[in-house]
């Protein structure tokens, strides 16, 4: 079977190089189906899919490998890695934990488990897992990078650098190189960061994900040196190599479906209970994390961060067989159904004593204001707005974990997504399901106290000076905005896209094609 597998992988590589990956995928899937109990075949197929960035297909094959060889820690670790890259963190953790029950001395399993805990914001458990890995293998590069990244998240940059430099690794390691380069750039050594990343990019075997992340890091290092053309080229390579496609037409149809279904009267709602949810919505990279960090410093507000609890709840209300993950007839949802759903949502809240509001800061929740009003009639909604060019550039020049925000991979797709968001917000403003306040990122940066007093008045809570001291909070934001919310107010992110104006033209054209008058709403 080895010869058959080798030939199949060679054919798949050739098809992929000629732009026929879907055909390659189908052929390999047939081989997987005819060799379900062959651990070697499933291992080889899974490794190939993982290498090209198809983590869903990789997980499918690795799961068959586990079934074929249930005592293989390697199979469980590989399955965990593929599942983790697909975004299913709880399942990934379970796979790593199962591997460790078979082989408790596997440093790689402990390191991977640490990354899951870290993504789940459990930094203490993550640190423990990384330390266990280093006890087994002191120079384990994944554990080293993991611990250093936790120090960085907590604002202990110097400690992170010292840790990275304390161990001499036998070969370049992607995670260590990325983190070290990031710290160097932030310390003002962009040229050194560039050199570190270019060295890492010369490695023989890089997964699609690793290459993309290195290209994004290189883009940041070049941007810091004002080498805009080279920086854009690096970001473009990073986005182009990610291998995932955004279905702009499908998303537009989903938004239209919700808009149509949301016209039904809201005669039945769940009971209003305290504390009330505060939904912070908007385009990603519009300042939602900054506002939430500020509000979390108010004694009457508890921040829960970025969670997908509401979309999952709405999908559950849709039921099986629905065309979209959204109820076909929201008005038909009974009081019992709505009350139970609201109860499930609130069950995830912790440490909310004395809170008047509990935040939910998932930007994409702008889709669900009608359902919010049915579930939580006392909820409030803040829509963060930011200049279109800055939002678009920030999306394009940042890499997001686990294949999230696939629309950010091209200027045209960002524009299409923005047009959907803009049109839906116009609908909500015309007939607000809940009290809705627009907050402009530029105003929050320029006059934070004025903006926060306006927010406090909207929420009916007294202004608290502690909100202006948000950067000293010990709270960690596990998003691309972590660095920003750990610094005092700064304005360098306003107008950052100006240097890339020529490259933003496809974005502006796509927004206009979506029916948005960019000139009339230039501040967005």
């Amino acid at each position: 079977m080895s010869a058959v597998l080798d030939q199949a992988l060679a054919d798949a590589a050739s098809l992929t190089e000629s732009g026929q990956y879907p055909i390659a995928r189908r052929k390999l899937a047939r081989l997987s189906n005819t060799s379900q109990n062959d651990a070697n075949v499933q291992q080889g197929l899974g490794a190939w899919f993982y290498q090209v960035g198809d983590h869903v297909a990789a997980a499918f094959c690795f799961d068959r490998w586990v079934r074929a060889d249930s005592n293989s820690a390697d199979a469980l670790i590989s399955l965990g890695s593929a599942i983790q890259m697909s975004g299913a963190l709880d399942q990934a953790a379970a796979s790593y934990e199962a591997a460790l029950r078979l082989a408790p001395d596997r440093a790689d399993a402990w390191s991977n488990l640490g990354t899951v805990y870290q993504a789940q914001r459990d930094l203490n458990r993550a640190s423990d897992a990384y330390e266990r890995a280093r006890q087994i293998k002191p120079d384990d590069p994944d554990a080293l990078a993991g611990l250093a990244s936790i120090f960085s998240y907590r604002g202990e940059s110097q400690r992170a650098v010292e840790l990275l430099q304390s161990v001499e690794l036998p070969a370049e390691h992607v995670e260590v190189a990325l983190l070290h380069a990031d710290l160097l750039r932030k310390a003002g050594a962009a040229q050194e960061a560039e050199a570190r990343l270019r060295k890492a990019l010369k490695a023989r075997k890089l997964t699609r994900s690793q290459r993309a992340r290195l290209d994004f890091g290189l883009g940041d290092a070049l941007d810091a040196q004002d080498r805009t053309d080279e920086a854009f080229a690096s970001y473009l390579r990073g986005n182009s190599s990610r291998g995932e496609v955004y279905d702009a037409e499908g998303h537009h149809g989903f938004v239209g479906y919700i808009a149509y279904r949301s016209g039904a009267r809201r005669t039945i709602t769940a009971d209003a209970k305290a504390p009330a949810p505060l939904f912070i919505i908007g385009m990603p990279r519009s300042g939602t994390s900054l506002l939430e960090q500020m509000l979390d410093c108010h004694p009457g507000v508890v921040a829960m961060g970025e969670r997908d609890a509401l979309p999952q709840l709405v999908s559950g209300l849709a039921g099986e067989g629905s065309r979209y993950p959204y109820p076909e007839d929201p008005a038909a949802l009974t009081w019992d159904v709505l009350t139970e759903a609201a109860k499930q949502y609130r069950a995830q809240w912790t440490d909310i004593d004395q809170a008047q509001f509990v935040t939910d800061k998932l930007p994409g929740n702008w889709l669900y204001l009608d359902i919010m009003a049915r579930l939580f009639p006392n909820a409030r909604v803040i829509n963060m707005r930011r200049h279109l060019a800055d939002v678009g550039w920030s999306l394009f020049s940042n890499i997001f974990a686990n294949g999230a925000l696939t629309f950010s991979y091209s200027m045209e797709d960002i524009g299409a997504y923005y047009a959907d968001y803009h049109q839906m917000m116009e609908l909500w403003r015309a007939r607000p399901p809940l009290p809705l306040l627009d907050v402009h990122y530029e105003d929050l940066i320029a006059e934070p106290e004025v903006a926060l007093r306006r927010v406090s008045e909207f929420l009916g809570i007294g202004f608290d000076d502690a909100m202006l001291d948000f950067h000293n909070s010990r709270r960690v934001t596990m998003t691309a905005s972590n660095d920003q919310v750990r610094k005092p107010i700064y304005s360098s992110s306003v107008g950052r896209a100006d240097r890339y104006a020529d490259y933003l033209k496809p974005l502006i054209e796509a927004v206009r094609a979506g029916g948005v008058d960019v000139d009339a709403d230039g501040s967005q």
Side-chain angles (χ1 to χ4, degrees):
M1 179 56 73
S2 177
V4 173
L5 175 62
D6 291 344
Q7 185 60 53
L9 294 180
D11 292 344
S14 179
L15 286 167
T16 300
E17 288 177 6
S18 63
Q20 301 180 75
Y21 176 72
I23 297 176
R25 194 181 198 271
R26 286 195 296 271
K27 288 189 173 185
L28 293 183
R30 283 197 291 271
L31 177 58
S32 176
N33 289 336
T34 58
S35 308
Q36 292 190 31
N37 297 318
D38 191 320
N40 291 330
V41 169
Q42 300 302 334
Q43 178 185 8
L45 292 175
W48 190 87
F49 280 126
Y50 192 94
Q51 180 71 23
V52 300
D54 191 339
H55 300 114
V56 173
F60 188 80
C61 294
F62 287 147
D63 182 62
R64 283 180 166 173
W65 179 16
V66 170
R67 294 173 189 274
D69 187 359
S70 58
N71 291 318
S72 171
D74 285 330
L76 286 163
I77 293 170
S78 296
L79 176 60
S81 296
I83 293 173
Q84 183 177 355
M85 292 300 291
S86 301
L89 298 179
D90 289 341
Q91 293 171 263
S95 192
Y96 294 140
E97 289 163 356
L100 287 166
R101 285 193 290 272
L102 291 172
D105 61 345
R106 289 292 296 266
D108 52 350
W110 281 113
S111 292
N112 289 359
L113 187 58
T115 65
V116 173
Y117 291 151
Q118 188 170 345
Q120 292 174 326
R121 302 184 179 87
D122 193 340
L123 299 191
N124 290 331
R125 291 180 76 188
S127 294
D128 290 343
Y130 292 140
E131 290 291 2
R132 287 291 298 272
R134 295 195 73 202
Q135 288 172 8
I136 298 165
K137 185 179 179 183
D139 62 348
D140 180 77
D142 292 312
L144 184 71
L147 279 174
S149 66
I150 288 178
F151 296 152
S152 179
Y153 274 126
R154 288 172 170 164
E156 302 175 58
S157 298
Q158 185 57 41
R159 188 179 180 189
V161 171
E162 290 172 357
L163 178 61
L164 292 174
Q165 295 176 338
S166 67
V167 176
E168 186 172 344
L169 300 176
E172 184 66 279
H173 185 269
V174 171
E175 299 303 320
V176 172
L178 281 165
L179 182 57
H180 196 190
D182 187 56
L183 292 167
L184 287 169
R185 175 180 57 81
K186 290 171 183 174
Q191 289 183 334
E192 293 179 48
E194 177 191 352
R196 186 74 194 269
L197 292 165
R198 290 194 185 280
K199 179 182 177 183
L201 278 163
K202 293 178 180 178
R204 285 188 176 182
K205 292 185 178 181
L206 291 174
T207 67
R208 179 177 285 176
S209 173
Q210 288 174 330
R211 186 168 295 280
R213 293 177 65 203
L214 288 167
D215 277 326
F216 274 90
L218 181 59
D220 290 341
L222 293 166
D223 176 78
Q225 299 173 64
D226 292 328
R227 292 157 62 184
T228 54
D229 291 339
E230 294 172 84
F232 178 81
S234 193
Y235 292 131
L236 182 62
R237 284 194 305 273
N239 279 306
S240 300
S241 67
R242 300 184 68 183
E244 293 157 294
V245 178
Y246 173 63
D247 183 4
E249 185 176 342
H251 186 265
H252 185 69
F254 183 38
V255 173
Y257 180 86
I258 293 177
Y260 176 73
R261 297 298 176 185
S262 296
R265 296 181 61 187
R266 302 179 194 94
T267 54
I268 299 175
T269 66
D271 294 337
K273 293 186 177 182
L278 169 59
F279 295 97
I280 303 175
I281 62 172
M283 285 288 290
R285 308 299 296 163
S286 62
T288 54
S289 294
L290 175 61
L291 178 62
E292 186 189 46
Q293 183 83 348
M294 290 172 158
L295 288 172
D296 187 57
C297 296
H298 191 290
V301 180
V302 172
M304 286 293 170
E306 194 165 296
R307 305 178 302 138
D308 61 358
L310 186 64
Q312 288 186 5
L313 202 63
V314 173
S315 178
L317 292 172
E320 296 182 6
S322 297
R323 179 182 177 188
Y324 290 110
Y326 195 88
E328 290 187 7
D329 186 2
L333 296 172
T334 66
W335 181 88
D336 287 340
V337 168
L338 291 169
T339 298
E340 178 59 28
K343 180 180 178 182
Q344 291 177 19
Y345 178 90
R346 292 175 180 275
Q348 301 179 39
W349 290 354
T350 56
D351 301 323
I352 58 171
D353 293 343
Q354 311 302 318
Q356 294 170 262
F357 288 96
V358 177
T359 68
D360 185 328
K361 185 207 71 67
L362 187 67
N365 278 342
W366 52 266
L367 284 163
Y368 306 116
L369 267 66
D370 175 60
I371 300 297
M372 288 177 191
R374 297 177 191 276
L375 293 169
F376 314 108
N378 61 336
R380 296 290 183 271
V381 182
I382 295 178
N383 175 43
M384 285 299 301
R385 305 177 73 184
R386 186 181 180 188
H387 194 281
L388 172 59
D390 284 337
V391 163
W393 179 248
S394 186
L395 283 166
F396 187 79
S397 59
N398 273 280
I399 189 167
F400 302 95
N402 302 323
L405 307 186
T406 54
F407 67 87
S408 69
Y409 301 171
S410 81
M411 292 294 180
E412 293 84 355
D413 287 341
I414 295 172
Y417 182 90
Y418 177 84
D420 287 341
Y421 155 75
H422 177 92
Q423 302 287 27
M424 198 68 177
M425 290 310 304
E426 289 294 288
L427 174 67
W428 294 136
R429 291 191 193 95
R431 50 175 194 270
L434 291 165
L436 170 65
L437 177 69
D438 283 331
V439 175
H440 289 258
Y441 174 76
E442 292 79 7
D443 293 341
L444 187 62
I445 292 295
E447 296 185 288
E449 182 171 341
V450 173
L452 289 171
R453 285 188 180 278
R454 182 166 166 259
V455 170
S456 299
E457 182 179 357
F458 169 71
L459 297 177
I461 58 177
F463 174 78
D464 194 300
D465 288 332
M467 291 189 288
L468 298 174
D469 199 31
F470 67 94
H471 52 283
N472 288 322
S473 170
R474 295 186 64 83
R475 177 174 174 266
V476 174
T477 304
M478 303 298 288
T479 71
S481 302
N482 182 66
D483 288 328
Q484 289 93 322
V485 301
R486 297 199 66 85
K487 298 177 182 177
I489 288 290
Y490 62 98
S491 60
S492 59
S493 58
V494 176
R496 179 169 174 260
D498 291 349
R499 291 182 294 139
Y500 296 90
D502 288 343
Y503 295 112
L504 292 168
K505 290 177 181 177
L507 162 67
I508 305 300
E509 291 170 3
V511 172
R512 286 187 174 131
V516 178
D517 188 344
V518 176
D519 296 325
D521 191 33
S523 67
Q524 309 309 327

